[in-house]
């Protein structure tokens, strides 16, 4: 529970209405009850406020909502996220190394760490303060994990990999699996040892069942603040810049380099050894087959400007009709040519 003014101060907004109003939780517009605060990030939902029972609303400047206490701020969606975290995020109390966890004697584990039953922590592992390992997490030898990380159930971090502070691994994420490297040997393939590591910088989040391959040599690196959705594949020696968003089922082939603040839609892909600039957005199922310069919005395979791709896709349903018309025009042209020859 918190007062409205306290929440406004938290998000850098200002109060319109009773600053001492007590708020219990955040709720969506259609389910909010007295004591709740809701938010409107998109103006098209403003009409729903007429029947909303929330005690207060988070809203952008310049929007008039009478008879309802407000928190007015520039980014209501971000404010919603911060208030939700403040009011409803559970606080993890340290439980130490719980019975049923196997932790090597050489591991350096801060006393405030929680390690649940079923976890395995290898030799020479270092785990920083406030980190939580949920059941069945496996941490191989020589791994370094920073402060306030959360490794959810059945996630795996293989040997030598590095997780900085506040890294989150969702269930069954794999960090440091072997890169897909094989040398042709006649009709067979010889496995190339993958002796590099993976480095996840501060505030990186890896979605459920996503895989980050270790480098063949050197490192695969995901830079600060980047977020991976579920089922994302990042191959060996890839470098992903800061504050990127990689949406579900997207894939990044070996040794490609992604710039800062890039977004890749679902099932988007980047071929190996390519360089993608900063501030690039690639639509769902888009595929990069060549280097991409910064500051572009692209879609399709191969990638083209998004607006051009929209025009092209709008044409596709008309192709059968256009083909029929072209055949008619061709037939008519042949008839006209025949008539000209007769004359």
């Amino acid at each position: 529970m918190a007062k409205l003014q306290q929440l406004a101060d938290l998000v850098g907004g200002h109060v319109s209405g009773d600053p001492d109003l007590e708020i219990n939780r955040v709720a969506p517009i259609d389910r909010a009850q007295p004591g709740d605060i809701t938010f409107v990030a998109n103006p098209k939902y403003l009409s729903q406020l007429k029947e909303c029972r929330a005690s207060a609303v988070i809203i952008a400047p310049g929007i008039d909502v009478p008879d309802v206490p407000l928190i007015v701020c520039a980014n209501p969606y971000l404010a919603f996220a911060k208030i939700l975290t403040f009011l409803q995020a559970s606080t993890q109390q340290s439980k130490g190394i719980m019975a049923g966890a196997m932790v090597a004697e050489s591991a350096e584990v801060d006393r405030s760490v929680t390690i649940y039953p079923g976890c395995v922590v290898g030799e020479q592992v270092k785990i920083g303060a406030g980190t939580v390992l949920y059941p069945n997490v496996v941490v191989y030898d020589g791994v370094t994990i920073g402060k306030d990380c959360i490794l959810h159930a059945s996630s795996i971090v293989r040997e030598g990999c590095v997780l900085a502070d506040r890294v989150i691994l969702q269930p069954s994420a794999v960090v440091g699996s072997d890169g897909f490297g094989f040398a042709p040997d006649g009709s067979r393939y010889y496995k190339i040892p993958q002796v590099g590591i993976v480095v996840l910088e501060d505030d990186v989040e890896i979605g459920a069942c996503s895989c980050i391959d270790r480098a063949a040599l050197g490192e695969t690196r995901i830079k600060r603040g980047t977020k991976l959705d579920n089922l994302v594949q990042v191959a060996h020696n890839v470098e992903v810049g800061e504050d990127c968003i990689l949406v579900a089922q997207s894939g990044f082939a070996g040794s490609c380099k992604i710039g800062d603040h890039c977004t890749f839609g679902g099932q988007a892909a980047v071929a190996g050894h390519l360089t993608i600039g900063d501030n690039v957005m690639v639509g769902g199922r888009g595929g990069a087959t060549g280097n991409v310069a910064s500051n572009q919005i692209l879609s399709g395979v191969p990638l083209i400007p998004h607006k051009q791709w929209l025009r092209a896709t709008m044409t596709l349903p008309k192709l059968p009709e256009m083909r029929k018309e072209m055949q008619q025009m061709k037939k008519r042209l042949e008839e006209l040519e025949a008539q000209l020859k007769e004359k």
Side-chain angles (χ1 to χ4, degrees):
M1 181 182 293
K3 292 185 177 181
L4 196 62
Q5 185 63 58
Q6 182 182 4
L7 298 179
D9 293 341
L10 176 70
V11 299
H14 70 268
V15 172
S16 174
D18 182 6
D20 294 323
L21 179 68
E22 292 187 340
I23 300 297
N24 296 313
R25 64 171 190 161
V26 180
I29 293 177
D30 57 343
R31 297 184 183 180
Q33 300 295 321
D36 295 343
I37 189 169
T38 191
F39 72 101
V40 177
N42 190 325
K44 72 178 184 179
Y45 296 114
L46 283 171
S47 61
Q48 297 185 23
L49 288 177
K50 295 179 182 179
E51 299 179 1
C52 181
R53 301 181 62 195
S55 294
V57 180
I58 308 166
I59 206 159
I63 299 176
D64 183 26
V65 183
D67 304 324
V68 181
L70 304 174
I71 292 179
V72 182
C73 59
N75 190 338
Y77 191 61
L78 178 60
F80 143 76
K82 290 183 176 181
I83 291 173
L84 181 63
T85 300
F86 180 78
L87 289 178
Q88 297 175 221
S90 61
T91 55
Q92 176 73 41
Q93 299 296 325
S94 175
K95 299 180 180 179
I97 300 173
M98 302 172 69
M102 298 179 62
V103 179
E105 291 184 3
S106 62
E108 298 180 20
V109 179
D110 189 273
R111 61 188 303 173
S112 63
V113 166
T114 297
I115 301 180
Y116 279 83
C119 292
V120 177
V121 177
E123 302 287 349
Q124 308 298 326
V125 169
K126 297 180 180 179
I127 304 179
T131 289
V132 180
L133 276 58
Y134 283 99
N136 301 321
V137 168
V138 178
V139 179
Y140 283 40
D141 295 348
V143 167
T144 298
I145 301 175
K147 300 177 182 178
D148 299 316
C149 295
I150 301 175
L151 279 62
H152 284 286
S154 300
S155 56
I156 297 172
V157 184
R158 277 191 49 183
E159 64 275 11
C161 293
V162 177
L163 279 58
D165 296 338
R166 299 174 301 281
V167 170
I168 298 175
L169 304 184
Q170 295 295 342
S172 298
V174 179
V175 176
S177 48
D178 278 0
F180 195 67
F182 300 90
D185 182 13
S187 61
R188 300 186 179 187
Y189 291 93
Y190 183 87
K191 182 176 177 63
I192 301 171
Q194 306 291 297
V195 298
I197 63 170
V198 173
V199 178
L200 306 183
E201 296 185 0
D202 292 347
D203 302 302
V204 166
E205 180 165 349
I206 307 298
C209 298
S210 292
C211 297
I212 317 298
D213 288 350
R214 68 194 310 105
L217 300 169
E219 62 183 37
T220 302
R221 180 175 288 266
I222 311 293
K223 292 187 177 181
R224 182 202 56 76
T226 285
K227 317 296 183 185
L228 275 63
D229 197 358
N230 303 332
L231 299 168
V232 172
Q233 162 66 18
V234 177
H236 57 191
N237 293 94
V238 169
E239 179 183 303
V240 181
E242 296 183 353
D243 296 312
C244 292
I245 296 291
L246 313 183
V247 180
Q249 298 185 357
S250 54
F252 303 84
S255 299
C256 69
K257 184 176 180 180
I258 311 300
D260 296 337
H261 207 267
C262 293
T263 300
F264 291 83
Q267 297 185 344
V270 177
H273 299 273
L274 298 183
T275 298
I276 309 298
D278 299 335
N279 306 308
V280 170
M281 296 181 66
V282 175
R285 295 189 175 182
T289 56
N291 294 333
V292 177
S294 298
N295 305 310
Q296 297 191 74
I297 303 175
L298 306 164
S299 291
V301 182
L303 292 174
I304 58 175
H306 182 67
K307 290 183 178 179
Q308 182 180 340
W309 176 82
L310 287 174
R311 290 194 294 268
T313 54
M314 289 173 65
T315 303
L316 287 175
K318 302 177 183 178
L319 287 179
E321 181 182 348
M322 293 170 64
R323 181 175 181 272
K324 183 178 179 180
E325 290 176 350
M326 289 183 66
Q327 289 175 331
Q328 292 173 345
M329 291 172 63
K330 180 181 178 182
K331 182 178 179 182
R332 180 59 178 157
L333 181 60
E334 290 173 348
E335 292 173 350
L336 290 172
E337 288 177 341
Q339 292 175 11
L340 288 172
K341 288 181 179 178
E342 290 177 359
K343 291 180 179 181

